[in-house]
Amino acid sequence: MDEVSTIPGGVRGRVVSRDGTEIAYERYGDGRPLVLVGGADGGAGRALAGLLARRFSVVTYERRGVAAVEREIEDLAAVLEAAGPGAAVHGTETGGVLALAGAAAGLPVEAVSVYEPEPLADGLVRAVHARVLVVDGGASPAATRQAARALTAALPRARHRTLTGQTHEVAPHVLAPVLAEFLDEPVP
């Protein structure tokens, strides 16, 4: 971990992925580590990080523009190492797919939560052994909600939660307490 400067509410740093690519990240708060993996736009949500930083050491990072999943898993591995042992991961949309793919690839994650991830291959789903929370929005399209329930049923250690009134653009203040509750649960 190479933390380089302090910013309001957080610390900026860089890690180096396996292929030599530098990955910028920001860390907020103190506590157990939680890595936020953003969607296709690469953003991981400073608002969500700020809300969760009250209880966790939240790390957000800049995803590569377009990269193979294997490269993105390597990036996530480098960020997890910077985050510290016992890290959990939360991913939104394609970030949820990456979080689950990382867990399936054996990255050291204790828990994974995802918000409306895109569909995943069955083989990948069965390889995820971390505790998982699959979340969807109650005002999201029916197909999205059905996909979230199907994913939950396919994962070995998962449960599902629907956030009433939320759409694909989930409100951080609604999602944050649900994630905190899940991450605070005792590990069986």
Side-chain angles (χ1 to χ4, degrees):
M1 171 174 61
D2 179 25
E3 294 179 350
V4 294
S5 65
T6 301
I7 60 170
V11 174
R12 288 186 181 172
R14 293 191 177 276
V15 293
V16 178
S17 189
R18 183 174 172 193
D19 71 352
T21 302
E22 283 193 0
I23 307 297
Y25 70 87
E26 294 181 0
R27 179 190 308 270
Y28 304 89
D30 292 311
R32 289 176 307 161
L34 169 62
V35 174
L36 299 183
V37 184
D41 64 359
R46 280 189 168 191
L48 181 60
L51 292 166
L52 291 167
R54 297 173 188 160
R55 296 170 68 180
F56 302 96
S57 176
V58 183
V59 177
T60 65
Y61 71 101
E62 296 176 20
R63 287 179 59 191
R64 297 184 194 209
V66 176
V69 172
E70 294 80 13
R71 291 289 172 250
E72 288 224 78
I73 290 172
E74 291 170 357
D75 296 351
L76 179 55
V79 173
L80 282 166
E81 186 175 333
V89 178
H90 170 74
T92 300
E93 303 166 358
T94 60
V97 174
L98 178 55
L100 290 168
L107 295 184
V109 295
E110 292 202 357
V112 176
S113 63
V114 295
Y115 187 83
E116 296 189 355
E118 295 177 358
L120 294 122
D122 287 342
L124 185 146
V125 170
R126 285 191 292 273
V128 176
H129 298 291
R131 291 185 311 125
V132 179
L133 173 65
V134 179
V135 185
D136 63 18
S140 289
T144 300
R145 295 190 325 270
Q146 290 169 349
R149 287 184 186 89
L151 175 61
T152 304
L155 287 162
R157 298 177 58 202
R159 65 186 181 94
H160 175 259
R161 177 91 181 256
T162 296
L163 303 181
T164 304
Q166 295 300 301
T167 65
H168 198 57
E169 299 295 324
V170 64
H173 72 277
V174 175
L175 181 58
V178 172
L179 295 181
E181 177 185 316
F182 170 66
L183 296 172
D184 284 341
E185 290 176 355
V187 178

